[in-house]
C-alpha cells in the first residue's frame, strides 16, 4: 500500500467532503480516503498496482477541485 497527501483547492463544506471521499473511495485499489477541510488536504491510501495516483487526481479534478 502507498499513502499520499494531496493539497486540494476549492473544498469548503460537508458536500465537498462527501463528493471527494465518495468518488475516490469507489476506485478499485483505494483502501482509505480522508478529507481535511481545515488543511485543504486529502489523504489517500491505495494499491499502486491497481490504481494510479494520476487516476486518483483525475477523479478529484472531475469533482471540480484543483490539485495544487
Amino acid at each position: 500500500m502507498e499513502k499520499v497527501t494531496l493539497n486540494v483547492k476549492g473544498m469548503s463544506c460537508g458536500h465537498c467532503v462527501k463528493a471527494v471521499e465518495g468518488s475516490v473511495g469507489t476506485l478499485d485499489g483505494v483502501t482509505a480516503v480522508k478529507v481535511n477541510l481545515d488543511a485543504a488536504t486529502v489523504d489517500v491510501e491505495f494499491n499502486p498496482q491497481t490504481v494510479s495516483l494520476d487516476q486518483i487526481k483525475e477523479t478529484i479534478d472531475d469533482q471540480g477541485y484543483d490539485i495544487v
Side-chain angles (χ1 to χ4, degrees):
M1 287 296 156
E2 189 172 322
K3 292 183 181 181
V4 66
T5 298
L6 303 170
N7 294 312
V8 181
K9 285 176 42 178
M11 301 182 302
S12 62
C13 64
H15 173 74
C16 301
V17 172
K18 287 181 182 180
V20 172
E21 289 183 351
S23 61
V24 174
T26 61
L27 294 172
D28 286 340
V30 172
T31 56
V33 57
K34 180 69 178 152
V35 171
N36 182 327
L37 285 179
D38 293 333
T41 59
V42 177
D43 296 320
V44 184
E45 184 175 323
F46 64 100
N47 181 341
Q49 295 177 339
T50 307
V51 63
S52 71
L53 182 56
D54 285 341
Q55 287 173 300
I56 293 167
K57 289 179 177 180
E58 184 177 317
T59 300
I60 294 170
D61 184 64
D62 287 348
Q63 294 300 312
Y65 307 105
D66 297 320
I67 309 293
V68 180

